[in-house]
Amino acid sequence: MTGARRGGGLLVAGTTSDAGKSVVTAGICRWLVRQGVKVAPFKGQNMSLNSFVTREGAEIGRAQAMQAQAAKAEPSALMNPVLLKPGSDRSSQVVLMGKPVGELSARGYHGGRQAALLDTVVGCLEELRGSHDAVICEGAGSPAEINLRRTDIVNMGIARAARLPVLVVGDIDRGGVFASFFGTTALLAPEDQELLAGYLVNKFRGDVTLLEPGLDMLESLTGRPTYGVLPYQHGLGIDEEDGLRVSLRGTVRESVVAPPVGEDVLRVAVCAVPLMSNFTDVDALAAEPGVVVRFVDRAEELVDADLVVVPGTRGTVKALEWLRERGLADALARRVAEGRPVLGICGGFQVLGERIEDEVESRAGVVEGLGLLPVRVRFAREKTLARPVGQALGEPVEGYEIHHGVADVLGGEAFLDGCRVGAVWGTHWHGSLESDGFRRAFLREVAAASGRRFVPAPDTSFAALREEQLDRLGDLIERHADTDALWRLIEGGAPAGLPFVPPGAP
């Protein structure tokens, strides 16, 4: 593979959303870069509230930033030219080449704007293919969304435009994977089926030999092989795109299985606000031995928490209303009065302030905040996208900023770009807790304020843990996929003569 020609490619599609496309794409990237292949990830259009800021100040999906790390490549707007950030059930902010260009309804986007973006998406992909040996593309949802196929730019639309072979991933843990593989194939037009090379089974539990007769039957029905069966493994759902799909009540972020260093654990409750964004901020807390992180939506669930985090949100005013309706606002006020720790990040920082003036996001005008920090926020039309570096609690800190709200800090102690009053902290910086020394110092402050005999582990490296996760993804591909066949797809495209499976697209 080290002598690979430039421009190979593969599209990883899925039978459904959350089938495992993001982690499979990352795993293939990590496997390839180990082989000496210069590889880049790509997703033409991404809908996600979890985003990241590149060094050039471009906003892209956080999953693509994670995949770039898997590929040992610098994240770039080329890797995710179109990002949709939902603001309601019916509209999203459109981020094009890393910069917001406006709000569109779903009907408006699919009614014409999406198709007009195909040239941009294809151009970005071709630029990456011209500078890399291989580009591993991720689809979105299912390629067989027959109501959306005409304007598709992320699944078969980009595959056909760029002549990419397509690998379809199915989550067997959900059940019905054979029907999903067959149905996905049979709902594609003949021109699309020519590019669908085969399948990859994800999240299999048990003896794979019991599955093999089904795989043989699937190949006889479709004329397409299965390129691997990946076993179910915990802890691989890193940097999810679409948020937590299950009920958030009691959902626990997967933590390192290690006992606490001190005598106590620390319990962290994350308020599951509407349109929650960049909830991956708390992954660094969950990586600490002895720190238990859960998402909550009831006031009583804050009572035993040592730290409450109010996370980022795409709907600051909506989140504020939600906190008040559920009694969480009163519970936060009681915590602050008792000197118990609260951390607000980005939109969560904004709601902790005295007042919000919003004529941009919610257009609600002036709204009273929770009044827990001496801060007033005004929403600007231009979005702040930055990669700040600084110091807090005596430790160096790095982060990234993605927000329309401009904070006027009127008092308190300086804390990153925000402030601290007692045991209440607020900042616009995402990702700050990934700075190991700062995270330990912060947790020591939380433990002291909570009266817990908790001691941060002295050697936890979040970056090293992330690399270990990415290596595990690469191991999955290397050990359980037909890598020789995958490379032939990437380098040579879909095999000629793949049979048509009726009835095809309606």
Side-chain angles (χ1 to χ4, degrees):
M1 288 187 192
T2 53
R5 63 175 177 82
R6 285 280 193 255
L10 174 70
L11 175 69
V12 179
T15 56
T16 61
S17 295
D18 206 30
K21 297 183 292 292
S22 294
V23 294
V24 167
T25 299
I28 294 175
C29 285
R30 178 51 59 104
W31 160 64
L32 285 173
V33 80
R34 286 173 174 173
Q35 312 306 311
V37 176
K38 186 179 181 184
V39 58
F42 178 81
K43 185 163 186 173
Q45 171 196 297
N46 196 349
M47 178 173 279
S48 178
L49 288 170
N50 278 342
S51 57
F52 181 76
V53 179
T54 69
R55 295 199 182 280
E56 293 75 29
E59 185 179 8
I60 65 173
R62 194 166 167 93
Q64 279 60 67
M66 176 268 291
Q67 291 160 357
Q69 185 177 348
K72 299 187 183 296
E74 186 65 33
S76 160
L78 291 173
M79 298 173 181
N80 180 206
V82 181
L83 173 64
L84 305 178
K85 302 193 74 176
S88 71
D89 291 339
R90 295 178 176 270
S91 68
S92 294
Q93 182 180 66
V94 181
V95 179
L96 178 63
M97 296 303 296
K99 304 296 181 182
V101 295
E103 297 272 342
L104 274 180
S105 68
R107 182 174 294 277
Y109 184 69
H110 290 287
R113 181 64 185 268
Q114 185 181 34
L117 293 172
L118 181 60
D119 288 345
T120 299
V121 170
V122 173
C124 290
L125 174 58
E126 290 309 310
E127 187 170 342
L128 286 173
R129 293 178 83 175
S131 57
H132 291 78
D133 302 325
V135 179
I136 307 304
C137 308
E138 180 188 346
S142 161
E145 304 288 0
I146 54 179
N147 57 316
L148 303 177
R149 175 62 185 90
R150 182 178 60 84
T151 56
D152 169 51
I153 64 172
V154 66
N155 290 306
M156 301 314 298
I158 187 68
R160 200 190 295 190
R163 303 307 299 171
L164 292 171
V166 178
L167 182 71
V168 178
V169 177
D171 179 357
I172 197 169
D173 196 52
R174 295 181 173 194
V177 74
F178 292 117
S180 297
F181 282 145
F182 183 87
T184 297
T185 308
L187 279 176
L188 298 180
E191 297 84 356
D192 291 339
Q193 288 195 26
E194 288 175 4
L195 298 170
L196 199 164
Y199 315 106
L200 186 75
V201 176
N202 192 27
K203 299 183 184 178
F204 179 73
R205 306 173 193 251
D207 183 352
V208 73
T209 61
L210 299 176
L211 188 66
E212 288 171 352
L215 302 178
D216 293 339
M217 286 186 276
L218 179 67
E219 184 169 4
S220 69
L221 287 167
T222 66
R224 292 160 174 83
T226 296
Y227 284 76
V229 178
L230 308 185
Y232 190 102
Q233 287 196 9
H234 290 282
L236 296 182
I238 51 179
D239 291 356
E240 294 99 327
E241 287 186 353
D242 303 320
L244 300 173
R245 295 183 174 278
V246 297
S247 170
L248 289 161
R249 185 176 300 121
T251 300
V252 178
R253 296 301 275 173
E254 292 173 338
S255 306
V256 173
V257 182
V261 175
E263 296 180 49
D264 289 343
V265 300
L266 278 186
R267 295 172 176 83
V268 179
V270 184
C271 296
V273 296
L275 299 173
M276 182 168 50
S277 62
N278 288 71
F279 58 80
T280 47
D281 282 335
V282 299
D283 284 352
L285 295 178
E288 285 285 349
V291 177
V292 179
V293 178
R294 69 183 190 273
F295 290 82
V296 303
D297 59 4
R298 290 179 173 175
E300 55 268 29
E301 293 174 301
L302 304 190
V303 174
D304 67 343
D306 301 303
L307 169 68
V308 173
V309 177
V310 187
T313 172
R314 174 82 166 86
T316 300
V317 171
K318 183 179 292 187
L320 188 56
E321 294 170 351
W322 182 87
L323 290 167
R324 285 179 167 137
E325 288 169 358
R326 290 177 170 263
L328 288 158
D330 290 338
L332 286 168
R334 287 193 295 272
R335 286 186 66 87
V336 173
E338 295 165 359
R340 303 176 66 201
V342 175
L343 170 65
I345 302 174
C346 200
F349 165 42
Q350 295 166 9
V351 304
L352 296 181
E354 297 173 355
R355 190 178 73 188
I356 298 167
E357 183 181 339
D358 182 10
E359 299 292 350
V360 176
E361 191 176 77
S362 67
R363 298 181 176 85
V366 176
V367 178
E368 294 301 311
L370 299 184
L372 304 179
L373 285 175
V375 175
R376 295 184 178 181
V377 176
R378 177 185 54 82
F379 273 66
R381 296 201 175 276
E382 185 174 347
K383 181 184 283 190
T384 296
L385 297 169
R387 289 278 293 271
V389 176
Q391 195 170 51
L393 305 181
E395 297 286 347
V397 191
E398 296 182 13
Y400 56 99
E401 294 184 66
I402 306 169
H403 54 91
H404 285 278
V406 178
D408 183 13
V409 179
L410 304 174
E413 179 183 341
F415 178 70
L416 303 176
D417 69 330
C419 65
R420 170 188 183 177
V421 175
V424 185
W425 296 265
T427 177
H428 275 128
W429 289 24
H430 295 290
S432 62
L433 293 166
E434 295 179 18
S435 298
D436 296 327
F438 167 71
R439 183 181 63 254
R440 293 182 195 116
F442 177 72
L443 289 174
R444 282 193 289 269
E445 296 254 355
V446 169
S450 302
R452 295 288 186 188
R453 291 169 294 182
F454 170 85
V455 178
D459 55 355
T460 300
S461 166
F462 185 75
L465 289 171
R466 173 56 53 87
E467 280 296 306
E468 288 174 14
Q469 282 187 306
L470 294 172
D471 278 334
R472 289 173 64 200
L473 294 179
D475 292 343
L476 274 179
I477 298 299
E478 191 166 335
R479 296 171 185 171
H480 301 284
D482 186 343
T483 52
D484 289 340
L486 275 181
W487 180 245
R488 288 194 295 271
L489 275 186
I490 292 166
E491 193 173 39
L498 290 169
F500 172 69
V501 178

